[in-house]
Amino acid sequence: MIEVQGLTKVYGNKAAVDNLTFSVEQGEVVGFLGPNGAGKTTTMRVLSCFMPPTSGSAKVAGYDIHADSIEVRRRIGYLPEHVPLYTELTVTQYLNFVAEAKAVPRVQRRQKVGELIERCLLHDVRGRIINTLSKGYRQRVGLAQALLGDPPVLILDEPTIGLDPKQIIEIRNLIRQMQGERTVLLSTHILPEVSVVCQRVIIINEGRIVAVDTPENLTRRLQRSTQVLLQVEGPPDQVTGRLREMAGILRVEMKDGGGVHGRYVVETEKDCDLRRELAHVVCSSGWGLLELRPVDMSLEDVFIRLVTEEQDSMTVDRSPVTLDG
């Protein structure tokens, strides 16, 4: 549904986007991640025909962004990071205006606008002037306008920015419900959001792709050790010392500032499961074992490791990290 080949956008001497190539399949929800200035917003603006690329090509829903930009725009719902709204209108007036601009048939406008007001949780403010709304409500108005016209492709730049925790969960659920229904390219700085709503992730840094895969596969690929969290009722110094003496232990780190009910992160070699041995050592020492569980590498860890390694490897192959199968 989205096909990008060699996409490049240069400002002066700076390549904001540098030879990007990726695809997003029909009905797929894909996260687009990167630090500030990585080129995420520039890429989204190019794909939505907001600006032209310097070189390269892209197709959206089978239409070329150069030759068929009007057809591309008809098939995209775009939510920019800073939502441009007509703030002197009410929510309903604004959405009716957008519906007319998107050529939603007159007989369907009231129904479509009403459905999106309910779906985007705007029913309590439908008659209010947009200028009086909080940032969170304005964000939801922007999402509603992106959905008007039933576009098959959604390009969402930071869709949950400015929302409170309850609203974030509601919007995440809404996006997750779109899997299979619409193709979604989602930019976000909230990394747990990707794990919750996205099937794949594209990570870029300095305009280049450094990884394309599922969050689970990236975690498995980059996790170089196994970690176990222990909570032990015992003298912290003795517990730490005894754990460090065990064969196969690479590192022991105490969490939560210590105390008699200390929590410890124990790191071992990758695929080395020492939980049984850890439990035996704690119990045979006469201490209380309050918790023992494996700790998975977080998406934040994956993100930081990929970006850091990409910055440190200026003279090596910078091809994207992927997994076979």
Side-chain angles (χ1 to χ4, degrees):
M1 187 60 77
I2 299 176
E3 296 286 342
V4 176
Q5 290 289 331
L7 200 67
T8 298
K9 181 64 178 180
V10 178
Y11 297 102
N13 295 323
K14 171 67 174 178
V17 175
D18 188 0
N19 196 33
L20 293 190
T21 297
F22 65 88
S23 63
V24 182
E25 301 300 323
Q26 184 172 354
E28 192 177 22
V29 179
V30 172
F32 200 45
L33 302 182
N36 289 331
K40 304 184 303 297
T41 294
T42 297
T43 303
M44 290 182 156
R45 288 177 174 175
V46 170
L47 291 177
S48 60
C49 302
F50 185 83
M51 62 171 63
T54 303
S55 62
S57 64
K59 288 185 177 182
V60 178
Y63 292 94
D64 186 88
I65 61 171
H66 295 285
D68 303 299
S69 65
I70 297 300
E71 294 300 325
V72 170
R73 295 178 205 190
R74 285 174 175 158
R75 287 159 177 81
I76 283 181
Y78 178 42
L79 175 66
E81 181 178 358
H82 303 290
V83 186
L85 302 170
Y86 292 128
T87 56
E88 71 277 11
L89 301 179
T90 68
V91 171
T92 300
Q93 288 171 338
Y94 172 73
L95 293 178
N96 279 325
F97 167 77
V98 173
E100 183 177 357
K102 290 188 174 184
V104 176
R106 182 184 296 271
V107 295
Q108 298 179 13
R109 286 177 200 163
R110 176 175 294 185
Q111 176 189 348
K112 295 294 185 182
V113 168
E115 289 174 353
L116 285 173
I117 283 175
E118 293 299 320
R119 193 172 189 186
C120 295
L121 310 171
L122 291 165
H123 43 274
D124 292 336
V125 297
R126 62 192 307 159
R128 285 179 53 182
I129 302 294
I130 292 175
N131 192 45
T132 67
L133 299 181
S134 67
K135 185 175 182 179
Y137 273 117
R138 293 189 189 200
Q139 196 73 7
R140 283 191 268 176
V141 174
L143 183 57
Q145 68 80 24
L147 288 166
L148 266 170
D150 294 322
V153 178
L154 289 176
I155 296 179
L156 309 178
D157 198 354
E158 302 283 355
T160 60
I161 191 169
L163 304 185
D164 64 39
K166 181 175 182 293
Q167 294 168 343
I168 288 174
I169 292 172
E170 291 167 342
I171 295 302
R172 285 178 183 172
N173 289 336
L174 175 59
I175 295 171
R176 189 164 53 234
Q177 291 166 12
M178 295 177 191
Q179 288 187 9
E181 175 187 343
R182 288 184 173 87
T183 301
V184 182
L185 184 62
L186 164 71
S187 167
T188 179
H189 285 92
I190 307 172
L191 299 183
E193 194 160 79
V194 174
S195 298
V196 172
V197 304
C198 297
Q199 297 154 286
R200 282 195 305 134
V201 58
I202 299 169
I203 299 179
I204 70 170
N205 185 45
E206 297 184 356
R208 291 175 174 262
I209 293 178
V210 296
V212 182
D213 216 322
T214 65
E216 295 80 10
N217 284 347
L218 284 173
T219 298
R220 284 195 294 268
R221 170 69 178 267
L222 295 172
Q223 189 155 354
R224 297 168 181 168
S225 61
T226 297
Q227 293 186 350
V228 175
L229 177 67
L230 288 170
Q231 186 173 15
V232 179
E233 186 177 27
D237 290 343
Q238 294 181 31
V239 173
T240 302
R242 183 68 185 89
L243 294 177
R244 285 174 177 163
E245 293 173 355
M246 293 178 59
I249 300 297
L250 301 177
R251 181 177 64 92
V252 177
E253 177 185 356
M254 191 167 189
K255 311 292 286 186
D256 303 334
V260 68
H261 298 95
R263 292 162 64 88
Y264 307 83
V265 174
V266 180
E267 185 174 355
T268 67
E269 295 179 359
K270 186 177 180 180
D271 300 326
C272 180
D273 188 352
L274 294 180
R275 286 176 293 175
R276 185 186 299 274
E277 291 81 357
L278 287 166
H280 174 73
V281 165
V282 170
C283 295
S284 64
S285 300
W287 304 319
L289 180 58
L290 306 181
E291 183 179 10
L292 189 157
R293 61 179 174 84
V295 178
D296 292 328
M297 187 179 189
S298 69
L299 190 58
E300 286 91 341
D301 295 331
V302 170
F303 178 81
I304 292 170
R305 180 168 291 178
L306 280 169
V307 170
T308 301
E309 290 182 354
E310 198 272 342
Q311 290 172 336
D312 292 342
S313 59
M314 301 300 293
T315 60
V316 302
D317 180 20
R318 300 177 68 182
S319 58
V321 176
T322 59
L323 283 177
D324 295 332

